[in-house]
Amino acid sequence: MTETTESGTEAPAARQAPEEVPRPKGLGPFGWLRWAWRQLTTMRTALILLFLVALGAVPGSVLPQRGQAPEKVAAYLDEHKTLGPWLDKLSMFDVFAAPWFAAIYILLFVSLAGCVLPRAVKHYRSMRARPPAAPRNLSRLPQSATYETDASPEDVLAEARGVLRGRRFRVDVSGGAASAEKGYLGESGNLLFHLALLALLFALGLGNLFGYRGNVLLTEGKTFANSLSLYDQFQPGRAFRGGELSPFTVKLDDFRAQYETEGAKRGQATDFTAKIHYRESPYGGEKPYDLKINHPLKVGGAKVYLLGHGYAPVFTVRDAKGDVAFQDTVPFLEMEPRNLTSEGVIKVPDAQPDQLAFYAILWPTATASQDGKQIISAFPAPIRPVITITAFKGDIGLDDGSPQSVYKLEGIGEKLQPVKDGQKLLEPGETFKLPGNAGSITFDGLKEWTSLSVNHDPGRIPALIAAILAVLGVATSFMVRRRRVWVRASAGEGGRTVVEVGGLTLGNPTSEFDDIVTALRGPEDGPALEPGQEPDPEPDPEPAASDPGTDQDPGPAPEPKE
C-alpha cells in the first residue's frame, strides 16, 4: 500500500536537501603548463624580460669583469673587503657568463619565439584571406562619400576593381559591393622587427657559444702566434675547442703615439699607430698593416684590436760571478695615466749565488716637482726617461711552483731581503753595480708595448644582418598603415546608380581616399556628396536675347538719321 500526499502539503523548497553539485577539478599539471606557456609568450612578458636583460647588463658596464680586466677585479676585491665578496657571489664580476643572466636571456628568447612565430603564421593567413565584406552603413565610417552616375552598378563595380587594383589594393567583388584592402606591409615590418630581434639574440648566443676572446701584451720586436699558451688572458666560448685557433702570427715592428704639446690638453694622446707584419699561415708571406684604434686587423676569421700601450725598458742583469743572468724587455704598468709614470719588477732566478730582483719606477720625461723634493713625469712621451732601481736578493719563490704575478714581488722581508744602499737613478746606458759585489743592472734603453685583443665571433655577421633588418622593419611599420575601402553600387531613382564609398585607415585619415573617389566619379558625374546631403537644383537657363516673347528691356531707341 503506497502512501499519498495531499496537494499543497509538500515540504517547502528551502527545507529540501539541496542536490550535491560536483566540484570543479583543478587545472592539473598540463593545465598549469598551458597557463605558464601563455603567460610566458605574451608581449608583456617579453618586454619585462627585455628590460631585465638591459638592467642585468648595467653591472657588467659599471663593475670590472674578469673576462676583460682580471687585475682590476682583484684590485676591487682588495679595496672592498666587505662588499666585494658579496658581489662576487652574485657573479657581478662575470655578469655575461652568470647563470642568472643566461636564464633571463633564454627566457627572453623563448618568449619572443612563442609570441612572434604564431603572429607570423596568423599574419600570413590574413594576407591570403579575402578582404572583409562591406559594412551595412558606409556613411558611419571615418571617410565616406556618395554620388550618382548614369553607369550601371556592374560597370561601377568593374571600374572600382580596376581603380583599386591600380593602387595596389587587394580587391574582392561580391554582394553588390567591392571590398579592397592594403597596408599589410606595415604589419609585416612589425613582425620583421621582432623576428630580426629574435635572430639577433640567436646570433649573440652563437658567438658566445663558439667564439673566443683573448688579450696579449706585445713588445716592439716581438712576435705573437695565435696559440693558447701565448695568451695573457683567454676567454673561450662554452662549445669552443682549442684546436679551432687559426695559425696566424703578428709581429710588432714599431709603436708610435702622438700627444698634444701645448694648451690645456697638453699631454693628451691624439693618435696611436702600431706598425705590424702578419702571416695568415706559417707558409704564407708577411703582409704589413697599420693597426689603429677602431681599425682592427681581420685575419684568420678573427679581428685583432689595438687596446692600450705602455713602456718596456730593456735591462741587462749580471750576477756576482759576472755572468749575464737576464737580458730582455720588461713591460711596466702605468701608475699615473696622464704622464705615464710606470712601475715594474725584474725577477732574475738564474743569478748566482743569490737570486736577484728589482723594483723600478719609470718617468718618461723626468723633472723635479715644484718643491724640488721628488721626481715627476712632465710629459707622456719618452723625452728624458729616468728609472729608479731598488734591489733585492734572496729567494724569489719561483722554485716551489706557486703562481706569481709578473708585476709584483712576493715575500719581501721574509725570503727576499732588500740590498743595503741598493737604490739608484739610471738613465739609458747607465749601470748600477750592487754593493757587496752582488751583481749589476744596466738600463739599456726603452721600448714600447701594446696590448692586443683577438676576438673571434661567428655570430658577428648574422647579428649585423639582423640589426639592419630590425631597423628596416621598424621604419616600415611606422611608414605604412593599413587601409580599407568599400564601394557599393545600387539602383536609384530615375534610372541612375547611387554609389557609396567608405574608407577606414589605421590612424589619421589620408588624402588617398579623396583621390580614389575622384577617380571613381570621373569628370562627367557631379561632385561627390557628403552623407545626407541633397543635390543642388539645377538653375534655370537664361533666355536668349533673340527669343520672341521675352520681357527683356529693348534698350534706348536709335536716333533718327538725317
Side-chain angles (χ1 to χ4, degrees):
M1 182 176 179
T2 60
E3 296 182 358
T4 59
T5 305
E6 295 183 1
S7 178
T9 62
E10 297 89 351
R15 297 180 182 179
Q16 293 179 352
E19 297 182 1
E20 293 186 1
V21 179
R23 297 182 180 180
K25 297 181 179 180
L27 291 177
F30 292 103
W32 282 109
L33 288 176
R34 285 195 299 268
W35 178 85
W37 174 255
R38 290 172 182 172
Q39 297 299 318
L40 179 62
T41 54
T42 60
M43 187 57 66
R44 178 183 60 184
T45 304
L47 291 175
I48 292 175
L49 291 172
L50 187 62
F51 173 75
L52 290 178
V53 168
L55 186 64
V58 172
S61 303
V62 176
L63 297 174
Q65 300 296 296
R66 283 194 174 90
Q68 288 75 32
E71 69 283 353
K72 293 184 179 180
V73 174
Y76 188 93
L77 292 173
D78 290 338
E79 294 176 2
H80 304 81
K81 299 293 185 182
T82 303
L83 180 61
W86 283 101
L87 294 177
D88 199 10
K89 291 179 181 179
L90 296 175
S91 301
M92 291 300 175
F93 303 114
D94 297 280
V95 169
F96 302 105
W100 57 267
F101 189 85
I104 298 175
Y105 186 88
I106 294 173
L107 286 175
L108 175 61
F109 187 88
V110 174
S111 177
L112 283 176
C115 179
V116 175
L117 294 181
R119 281 184 57 194
V121 174
K122 184 178 179 180
H123 177 63
Y124 175 75
R125 293 175 179 174
S126 299
M127 291 178 62
R128 297 182 60 87
R130 298 171 59 183
R136 180 177 301 177
N137 193 346
L138 295 179
S139 61
R140 293 184 178 180
L141 296 177
Q143 290 180 292
S144 61
T146 304
Y147 66 92
E148 294 183 357
T149 180
D150 292 330
S152 64
E154 293 77 11
D155 294 339
V156 170
L157 295 181
E159 178 68 17
R161 179 196 295 268
V163 170
L164 293 173
R165 283 187 173 179
R167 291 179 174 271
R168 308 182 70 84
F169 278 85
R170 295 188 305 112
V171 186
D172 178 64
V173 178
S174 62
S179 303
E181 186 176 28
K182 75 174 182 179
Y184 274 95
L185 191 60
E187 178 65 15
S188 300
N190 189 298
L191 286 173
L192 177 63
F193 166 73
H194 289 90
L195 289 173
L197 184 60
L198 193 64
L200 181 62
L201 292 175
F202 180 78
L204 294 177
L206 182 68
N208 291 331
L209 192 64
F210 296 99
Y212 67 86
R213 178 178 299 173
N215 295 338
V216 61
L217 188 146
L218 195 59
T219 307
E220 291 175 333
K222 302 282 186 174
T223 300
F224 164 73
N226 192 27
S227 175
L228 286 176
S229 59
L230 297 181
Y231 277 100
D232 298 324
Q233 176 189 342
F234 190 80
Q235 184 179 2
R238 296 183 181 274
F240 176 78
R241 299 295 179 268
E244 300 175 2
L245 292 175
S246 301
F248 65 84
T249 59
V250 176
K251 180 182 179 182
L252 179 60
D253 299 323
D254 184 31
F255 183 88
R256 299 177 183 176
Q258 297 180 3
Y259 305 94
E260 292 284 352
T261 57
E262 298 178 355
K265 296 183 178 180
R266 183 177 184 273
Q268 181 175 339
T270 58
D271 183 59
F272 295 135
T273 303
K275 294 187 173 296
I276 63 174
H277 279 80
Y278 69 95
R279 295 177 184 265
E280 295 187 3
S281 66
Y283 308 103
E286 284 191 340
K287 300 178 182 179
Y289 189 81
D290 289 347
L291 190 62
K292 293 178 175 288
I293 293 179
N294 297 328
H295 290 81
L297 169 67
K298 299 178 182 179
V299 57
K303 282 190 173 183
V304 181
Y305 294 89
L306 179 65
L307 293 184
H309 81 106
Y311 292 106
V314 184
F315 296 100
T316 299
V317 179
R318 297 179 182 272
D319 58 14
K321 298 180 179 180
D323 298 330
V324 176
F326 178 88
Q327 189 174 30
D328 201 355
T329 57
V330 179
F332 278 31
L333 300 181
E334 63 181 28
M335 300 170 59
E336 183 262 318
R338 181 174 180 82
N339 293 313
L340 290 184
T341 302
S342 307
E343 63 177 348
V345 298
I346 307 101
K347 298 181 180 181
V348 191
D350 297 332
Q352 297 295 332
D354 295 322
Q355 295 180 350
L356 298 177
F358 303 89
Y359 172 76
I361 298 178
L362 166 68
W363 293 279
T365 302
T367 184
S369 60
Q370 293 183 354
D371 56 8
K373 296 182 179 180
Q374 59 181 352
I375 301 175
I376 61 172
S377 179
F379 199 72
I383 299 176
R384 189 200 171 198
V386 171
I387 285 181
T388 178
I389 294 289
T390 302
F392 300 85
K393 67 179 181 178
D395 185 5
I396 300 177
L398 297 177
D399 297 335
D400 58 2
S402 300
Q404 289 190 12
S405 171
V406 295
Y407 304 105
K408 185 178 181 181
L409 291 177
E410 304 287 347
I412 296 179
E414 299 176 358
K415 297 181 179 181
L416 195 63
Q417 302 297 329
V419 176
K420 186 177 181 181
D421 298 330
Q423 294 183 344
K424 181 74 173 180
L425 285 175
L426 296 178
E427 295 187 11
E430 294 184 346
T431 300
F432 173 37
K433 292 185 178 181
L434 303 181
N437 198 24
S440 65
I441 180 171
T442 301
F443 177 24
D444 296 320
L446 193 63
K447 292 185 177 182
E448 296 191 59
W449 59 261
T450 182
S451 57
L452 305 178
S453 176
V454 182
N455 187 3
H456 172 64
D457 187 0
R460 177 172 51 87
I461 299 300
L464 176 62
I465 296 174
I468 294 174
L469 292 178
V471 173
L472 293 177
V474 169
T476 304
S477 65
F478 281 109
M479 294 174 61
V480 180
R481 291 180 290 174
R482 182 83 63 84
R483 289 155 301 202
R484 291 175 177 173
V485 176
W486 293 275
V487 180
R488 178 182 288 123
S490 59
E493 297 180 358
R496 295 174 64 84
T497 299
V498 178
V499 182
E500 299 176 86
V501 187
L504 181 62
T505 302
L506 183 63
N508 296 325
T510 63
S511 60
E512 184 181 26
F513 178 81
D514 299 331
D515 298 338
I516 293 174
V517 174
T518 302
L520 291 174
R521 181 170 54 85
E524 71 278 2
D525 297 318
L529 305 179
E530 297 296 331
Q533 180 181 353
E534 297 292 339
D536 295 333
E538 296 184 1
D540 295 333
E542 295 183 359
S546 60
D547 290 345
T550 59
D551 295 335
Q552 292 182 353
D553 186 6
E559 297 181 359
K561 296 183 180 179
E562 296 181 357

